[in-house]
Amino acid sequence: MDAQTTPLTQRPQWQSLLRHRDAIKTTQLRDLFAADPQRGERLTAEAAGLYLDYSKQRVNDDTLRLLRELADACGLRARIDAMFRGDRINTTENRAVLHVALRAPAGEKILLDGHDVVADVQAVLDRMASFSERVRSGNWKGHTGKPIRNIVNIGIGGSDLGPVMAFEALRHYSRRDMNFRFVSNVDATDFVEATHDLDAAETLFVICSKTFTTLETLTNAHAARSWCLKVLGEDETDANGAIAKHFVAVSTNADGVKKFGIDTANMFEFWDWVGGRYSMDSAIGLSTMLAIGAQNFRAMLAGFRAMDEHFRSEPLERNLPALMGLLAVWNNNFLGAEAVAVLPYAQYLKRFPAYLQQLTMESNGKHVMLNGTHVDYSTCPIFWGEPGTNGQHSFYQLIHQGTRLIPCDFIGFCQGLNPLGNQHDLLMANVFAQSEALAFGKTPDQVRAEGTPPALVPHRVCEGNRPSNTILAERLDPQTLGALVALYEHAVFVQGVVWNIDSFDQWGVELGKQLAKTTAAEIASKDEPKLAHDSSTNALIRRYRQLRDDATSGKA
Ligand code: G6Q
């Protein structure tokens, strides 16, 4: 067996890491810091405006070297090159993975089957910019001649989480005289609540769907169409005019868009080489551009690009995504951490953990390798989080004193965007206090020295040795957000390379979508449907139909 075909856990580099883990098992972060007074400055790296402090990870120089050797053995460099070159690295869907082309500057060429995709990207960006300008300036008029004041993005998964996260993250830079709403759930409540106070004559719907076949999105788009036409005219001439003024689409499926009734002149294109969860910087970001303007959107792309360049060219020792990806492998596969907490200390990043959940878990929540054989190691950990300081008063208890190891990513900014007294200093004091408390804890001696009654000492002890990264940036602006998202995108890629999985497909999501179609038909059926599920599913469907029908017929 050569290096490329040797199973991951049998590679010498993996075996060395296992032996190394056993050798340093009892070493505490306290010991590591005591042995090296420079550690807090040494184990850091900086790029694209982001400063990463990984000194509070349970690693020493040998760990880092061994992790780099593992990355080399897994062919990380070659895989990075393959992605940037446009190779079809999403093998199960036979697709290139070229989100990096979305932020390549005009003039650069990335050829896919001999065709320059950067030119296509730039052409769409220019169309988005001129459309956004027309809407933002009031020159794009609704059907009754009123300017647009409300933007409603309809999409789900990758066509929602990125746009809503980016809007919230960059709200400070957004048009305050316009409303931005996001509808994703097929639960009608989402649509009804998002539109209840809006005037259809001033509302523009952005229907985002890569495939334009997604049940939730098409259902909500049809609801939007009816809602709009109720106010703006039901006859065909009026309907055509109203749809043209109040609906635009973002999709790869021009036929689907046409079939829905949106003129393809009002469609913004993207391509099958952009994965849904990697699409917030494509035309899927149209709502973001409408909110913050084309210039800010371009600044965000520049941030993405700066991190791309860094990832592509920087040696692994100083490469932020490589370091974060490899440290995640270390925590997951060698220290047994089954979850990661993402803790942005910025209220504007309140949707960032939800966004990252999809990016990380849909990408790397896989049970087979590229060749289809089962992995014999764990892949993606569970990601969750909340903006600080809120999480501190809730689940941080488990992180400090629970029985599980939960590595944390703290994200903070040196300048607050809304200066109010010393509140930003207080916010950041909590970042530093939390990571310090997690790493160094409080020993029984320290607890006793505070005069704690002996029976309470064990309860008050915090063992420490709980690892974290801290990511610091100057301030949350479009450029920084781009760099931050690209950092995580590439860190996810690094983990996928080590685990030898396809980080760009999502077959697990497909099964539920298929089953829902059959079940929806059974639930809708006028006659008693013939159910052929398991006994639990059959009984649940019957009970639902019964209680629903009783309620509608007034029997309940
Ligand atoms: C993302 C996934 C998935 C997708 C949604 C919406 O990587 O593929 O979350 O974005 O299912 O799909 P459409 O954009 O095709 O409606």
Side-chain angles (χ1 to χ4, degrees):
M1 272 187 287
D2 67 19
Q4 287 310 310
T5 53
T6 308
L8 179 60
T9 51
Q10 287 170 33
R11 284 180 193 273
Q13 296 80 5
W14 187 277
Q15 293 293 325
S16 304
L17 276 161
L18 283 177
R19 282 193 298 276
H20 169 73
R21 186 266 323 268
D22 292 343
I24 66 163
K25 215 166 34 199
T26 55
T27 311
Q28 302 279 309
L29 279 168
R30 282 188 209 107
D31 308 324
L32 292 168
F33 273 84
D36 174 7
Q38 301 305 314
R39 181 180 169 94
E41 281 151 49
R42 217 165 50 75
L43 299 194
T44 63
E46 198 161 2
L50 303 183
Y51 174 84
L52 169 68
D53 174 353
Y54 58 97
S55 63
K56 295 191 184 87
Q57 293 287 347
R58 280 162 49 175
V59 293
N60 64 20
D61 291 346
D62 287 336
T63 329
L64 295 167
R65 177 180 49 78
L66 291 170
L67 285 168
R68 290 195 299 271
E69 286 173 12
L70 179 69
D72 289 341
C74 295
L76 177 59
R77 268 282 155 231
R79 295 288 298 281
I80 294 173
D81 292 342
M83 176 171 71
F84 276 84
R85 202 168 47 224
D87 288 7
R88 293 178 192 278
I89 61 169
N90 176 358
T91 51
T92 72
E93 295 182 312
N94 190 28
R95 287 178 180 167
V97 173
L98 270 177
H99 43 276
V100 291
L102 299 170
R103 45 266 192 158
E108 184 167 308
K109 275 194 181 358
I110 299 178
L111 298 180
L112 185 60
D113 300 329
H115 179 79
D116 176 23
V117 297
V118 179
D120 293 347
V121 168
Q122 292 297 327
V124 173
L125 275 173
D126 289 344
R127 283 189 59 226
M128 289 165 65
S130 72
F131 174 72
S132 299
E133 180 45 35
R134 284 179 71 192
V135 173
R136 287 163 58 89
S137 64
N139 286 333
W140 178 281
K141 299 276 194 284
H143 193 47
T144 63
K146 284 185 172 179
I148 298 297
R149 288 185 52 243
N150 315 310
I151 306 290
V152 181
N153 189 88
I154 296 183
I156 195 164
S159 300
D160 167 70
L161 287 159
V164 70
M165 180 279 286
F167 169 69
E168 292 296 348
L170 300 175
R171 186 186 271 270
H172 186 76
Y173 306 86
S174 73
R175 280 283 293 264
R176 298 306 184 128
D177 55 347
M178 292 173 75
N179 294 305
F180 293 85
R181 306 270 166 88
F182 297 83
V183 175
S184 54
N185 200 333
V186 76
D187 181 343
T189 301
D190 204 8
F191 178 81
V192 170
E193 286 293 339
T195 51
H196 81 279
D197 58 344
L198 303 184
D199 175 358
E202 300 178 329
T203 301
L204 176 77
F205 289 95
V206 181
I207 314 296
C208 284
S209 177
K210 181 172 168 180
T211 55
F212 231 78
T213 57
T214 304
L215 173 88
E216 291 89 336
T217 301
L218 290 192
T219 307
N220 279 319
H222 280 287
R225 196 174 191 276
S226 310
W227 179 84
C228 204
L229 294 187
K230 216 175 185 175
V231 179
L232 299 176
E234 305 242 21
D235 81 54
E236 255 334 279
T237 343
D238 271 2
N240 288 340
I243 298 295
K245 294 292 180 201
H246 295 273
F247 283 78
V248 296
V250 180
S251 190
T252 60
N253 176 2
D255 289 341
V257 169
K258 249 187 268 169
K259 209 165 130 210
F260 178 82
I262 298 178
D263 188 338
T264 45
N266 293 335
M267 166 178 155
F268 298 86
E269 193 189 9
F270 67 119
W271 307 272
D272 74 356
W273 43 264
V274 184
R277 54 195 175 274
Y278 296 87
S279 67
M280 59 164 276
D281 46 339
S282 71
I284 289 289
L286 183 61
S287 58
T288 314
M289 193 188 272
L290 285 161
I292 65 173
Q295 207 180 338
N296 277 323
F297 194 85
R298 291 254 184 208
M300 182 180 81
L301 295 182
F304 272 101
R305 167 72 175 183
M307 187 56 75
D308 292 346
E309 287 292 281
H310 167 81
F311 179 51
R312 190 181 193 176
S313 57
E314 198 69 19
L316 300 188
E317 291 91 315
R318 296 190 298 275
N319 190 312
L320 267 69
L323 283 163
M324 278 188 57
L326 292 172
L327 289 165
V329 168
W330 170 249
N331 287 331
N332 181 60
N333 297 101
F334 297 93
L335 301 187
E338 290 177 22
V340 173
V342 183
L343 309 167
Y345 279 65
Q347 188 62 23
Y348 285 126
L349 287 181
K350 67 180 183 189
R351 295 291 289 164
F352 193 65
Y355 170 78
L356 267 194
Q357 282 182 330
Q358 185 193 25
L359 182 68
T360 53
M361 297 199 280
E362 201 174 34
S363 296
N364 284 342
K366 307 289 162 67
H367 70 299
V368 294
M369 291 181 260
L370 286 167
N371 66 7
T373 53
H374 219 282
V375 296
D376 61 351
Y377 40 86
S378 52
T379 58
C380 191
I382 297 157
F383 274 73
W384 100 106
E386 271 288 311
T389 56
N390 300 10
Q392 288 175 208
H393 299 266
S394 137
F395 57 79
Y396 278 37
Q397 166 62 33
L398 179 148
I399 306 179
H400 283 284
Q401 285 190 312
T403 53
R404 292 168 197 283
L405 185 69
I406 315 282
C408 300
D409 285 353
F410 291 96
I411 303 170
F413 299 90
C414 298
Q415 287 170 31
L417 295 173
N418 296 298
L420 198 59
N422 65 345
Q423 286 192 218
H424 191 71
D425 287 345
L426 289 177
L427 176 70
M428 292 307 293
N430 276 281
V431 177
F432 308 135
Q434 287 297 325
S435 65
E436 185 180 10
L438 286 169
F440 305 109
K442 201 182 228 187
T443 62
D445 284 345
Q446 287 171 317
V447 177
R448 271 190 289 271
E450 288 172 348
T452 307
L456 286 186
V457 171
H459 296 276
R460 295 206 179 162
V461 166
C462 288
E463 288 163 348
N465 210 27
R466 313 218 166 199
S468 65
N469 288 318
T470 301
I471 299 169
L472 267 189
E474 200 175 313
R475 73 176 164 277
L476 179 55
D477 58 20
Q479 191 138 353
T480 306
L481 181 71
L484 186 65
V485 172
L487 168 62
Y488 277 98
E489 284 179 346
H490 296 320
V492 163
F493 175 77
V494 170
Q495 292 163 69
V497 168
V498 173
W499 293 326
N500 196 23
I501 54 179
D502 190 332
S503 299
F504 302 101
D505 61 12
Q506 54 282 314
W507 297 105
V509 177
E510 303 300 330
L511 174 63
K513 282 192 191 176
Q514 272 168 23
L515 291 180
K517 278 191 189 142
T518 316
T519 312
E522 291 162 350
I523 284 180
S525 160
K526 290 232 162 11
D527 309 319
E528 195 58 38
K530 255 187 135 169
L531 299 176
H533 306 270
D534 58 277
S535 59
S536 155
T537 311
N538 286 346
L540 287 166
I541 294 173
R542 280 198 204 100
R543 191 175 173 82
Y544 169 72
R545 282 179 53 100
Q546 180 74 52
L547 293 180
R548 176 199 63 187
D549 295 347
D550 286 356
T552 27
S553 64
K555 270 199 239 163

